Amino acid sequence: MKKLLKFVVTAAILATVFGGFISCSKKDVTVVKLGITGAAEEDIWQPAIASLKKEGIEIQLVQFSDYVAPSRALEDGDIELHACLSRVFFNSEVKSHNYHIQLIGNTLFSPLKLYSNKIKSVSELKPGDVIAIPNEATNEGRALKLLDNAGVIKLKPNAGENPAIDDIESIPTGVKFTLLAANLVPSTLVDVTAAIINGNYALDFGIDPKTAVASETKPAESYWNLIAARSSELSDKKKVQLYDKIVKAFQTQGTIDVFNNQYGGFFSPVGWEIDELAAYK
């Protein structure tokens, strides 16, 4: 009976001790939900995720099927961060919906490209050919600027940074346009003459970026992709430290290796030398 009692007491002590370790371990893990779009983003974030895990930070990627939902989810508190929008698109969303979210770090540049199953060069375009372009305001503007640079259309001199269809002065090639949500454009390639497709959606559809007929070239700052957080979180020094670790974990050679080795340099790092959180530290 004494032996049994001793065993029970010892077991209880061990359970308390080890239970304490388990509890402590779970308590030390900080979970951060991060919004992304496209399968490529999952690969791109893997080096950062592995690095942050060693520091007790667990990044949970949350996939969104379009570019509009992530900022809404961030504003509503469904996620802590998102990392899938260009600056120009992000700023447009913030202004349109009066979101209280902001840039905290820069990630990559992913060029829009013109693809086709029917032509090999824009010189082959003829009157009546249809080009599909994304209909979100900023993606539409980028697409039109790409077509202007390629000589497919001519924009008005005062078209500005983010032109719309009405800013087209002339169409020397005589082509027509169909506007669709960016995530739907790739599926139109079988029907239209050509389509301007965002990088992550092109990759999701198995489209080789090297087959593009035309492409954006210079990564204008307004087209840099970013990491965003709720503005209210930045008054908390601990949150700022946490987010700074996440930004810096992304901005490493490991991420560049994914750009180059898995995606042939299709993505490129931009703005990594800028500490967007400096004012909050």
Side-chain angles (χ1 to χ4, degrees), residues 1-18:
M1 192 66 182
K2 287 181 180 180
K3 289 182 178 180
L4 178 59
L5 181 60
K6 184 179 180 181
F7 173 79
V8 171
V9 172
T10 303
I13 292 171
L14 289 173
T16 301
V17 172
F18 286 106

Side-chain angles (χ1 to χ4, degrees), residues 6 17 25 46 53 90 93 99-100 102 113 120 128 133 149 154 157 159 167 185 191 208 217 239 258 264-265:
K6 184 179 180 181
V17 172
S25 177
Q46 289 311 307
K53 187 176 182 180
F90 175 76
E93 286 287 286
Y99 288 149
H100 304 85
Q102 67 187 70
K113 293 178 181 288
K120 300 295 184 182
I133 63 176
N149 290 332
K154 183 178 180 181
D167 292 311
V185 174
D191 301 312
D208 185 349
T217 52
K239 284 292 178 91
V258 176

